[in-house]
Amino acid sequence: KSYQKIRSKMTTIRIMKLLLLLIVTILSTSKAEVTTTEEDSYLNWFYTDVSRRVRAVWTAATSTNAPSKRSNKNGSNAAFKLLQMGDPSGALFLCEAELLKTETDEETQTSLLCIGQAYLGLYSKLHRHTKTTSDEVYLGKAKSNLEEAMKLNPMHPLTRAGLGLSFLLLSKDFERDYYQEAILHLHAATVLSSPGDVTYKSSLYNLALAYLASEDRYNAMD
């Protein structure tokens, strides 16, 4: 009986401690102003994105399109697939790995294009949450990689479209005067791509925005 009394008292004490802890937590929470800031939203997105990135990269790396020592094309295909899945971080990881083992100009151009597109995707995601001037770094990296890709193949519509978009975003979001460069590359993308496909439609839309921003309404409406 004495053992049962001691055990009952210990259980009661534990319950009281838990209740006290709960009361203190409630009081401290009520005193603090609980708000969801952009930083909170960004952190939630960041940690979710990291875990999703690891899963996506692992899936791509172990799939039939996994990068191999002999085939750079397969690795790039896996990276572009990650871009389509909305995972620019994972795509960047694979593209940069593929760039280290390229053997031809075509392979190098494809890897540089992929890296440029990945940085554009990262900018699109991060700038929605942070909206800081440091995000300009992503656009700068996108532009520099796409410029290198264009040197190897100036006739690739995706390269010209991505480069035009980089110039457009630098001008629109960071007040850089690159509208004429944006118009030049976006117009080239519409000429090089097939009418009706995604690259053509997006380039045409962005071209109209670039014309409007440069106060050329005539060409914007054309």
Side-chain angles (χ1 to χ4, degrees):
K1 290 183 179 179
S2 60
Y3 172 76
Q4 290 178 347
K5 287 183 179 179
I6 293 172
R7 187 174 180 180
S8 177
K9 286 182 179 180
M10 290 179 66
T11 303
T12 303
I13 291 171
R14 287 177 180 173
I15 293 173
M16 290 178 67
K17 285 182 177 179
L18 288 172
L19 287 173
L20 182 61
L21 180 62
L22 180 62
I23 291 170
V24 170
T25 304
I26 292 173
L27 289 174
S28 61
T29 305
S30 63
K31 289 179 181 179
E33 183 179 357
V34 181
T35 58
T36 303
T37 63
E38 286 191 9
E39 287 78 8
D40 295 329
S41 300
Y42 169 67
L43 287 175
N44 290 334
W45 167 80
F46 178 77
Y47 289 120
T48 303
D49 184 65
V50 167
S51 61
R52 188 170 59 82
R53 183 196 319 172
V54 171
R55 292 197 304 272
V57 170
W58 176 256
T59 300
T62 55
S63 69
T64 55
N65 288 326
S68 63
K69 292 182 180 179
R70 294 182 180 179
S71 176
N72 173 270
K73 186 176 180 180
N74 286 339
S76 297
N77 287 342
F80 280 111
K81 184 178 291 185
L82 289 180
L83 283 174
Q84 292 174 355
M85 293 165 57
D87 184 14
S89 304
L92 182 62
F93 174 84
L94 286 181
C95 293
E96 290 183 333
E98 290 302 312
L99 183 62
L100 296 175
K101 56 183 182 181
T102 56
E103 297 179 353
T104 66
D105 286 349
E106 182 182 358
E107 291 176 351
T108 303
Q109 187 269 336
T110 301
S111 295
L112 289 169
L113 168 60
C114 182
I115 292 172
Q117 295 283 357
Y119 274 119
L120 281 174
L122 279 173
Y123 171 78
S124 178
K125 276 193 169 185
L126 292 173
H127 199 62
R128 283 203 304 267
H129 298 279
T130 58
K131 290 182 171 60
T132 62
T133 54
S134 61
D135 298 337
E136 185 178 357
V137 174
Y138 292 98
L139 287 180
K141 289 184 177 181
K143 182 176 76 69
S144 61
N145 279 281
L146 291 167
E147 284 176 332
E148 292 300 314
M150 190 190 70
K151 291 178 183 177
L152 295 171
N153 184 4
M155 305 301 288
H156 199 294
L158 270 177
T159 302
R160 304 301 291 271
L163 194 52
L165 179 59
S166 300
F167 281 119
L168 178 60
L169 291 173
L170 283 167
S171 302
K172 185 174 69 69
D173 294 347
F174 299 101
E175 299 181 356
R176 301 289 186 264
D177 189 15
Y178 288 137
Y179 285 117
Q180 294 307 312
E181 289 85 348
I183 290 171
L184 174 68
H185 292 292
L186 289 169
H187 180 265
T190 61
V191 173
L192 295 169
S193 57
S194 300
D197 68 15
V198 176
T199 303
Y200 178 84
K201 290 179 180 178
S202 60
S203 298
L204 194 63
Y205 176 79
N206 290 331
L207 180 60
L209 291 179
Y211 276 128
L212 282 174
S214 61
E215 299 181 354
D216 186 350
R217 296 187 178 182
Y218 178 78
N219 281 308
M221 297 297 292
D222 189 7

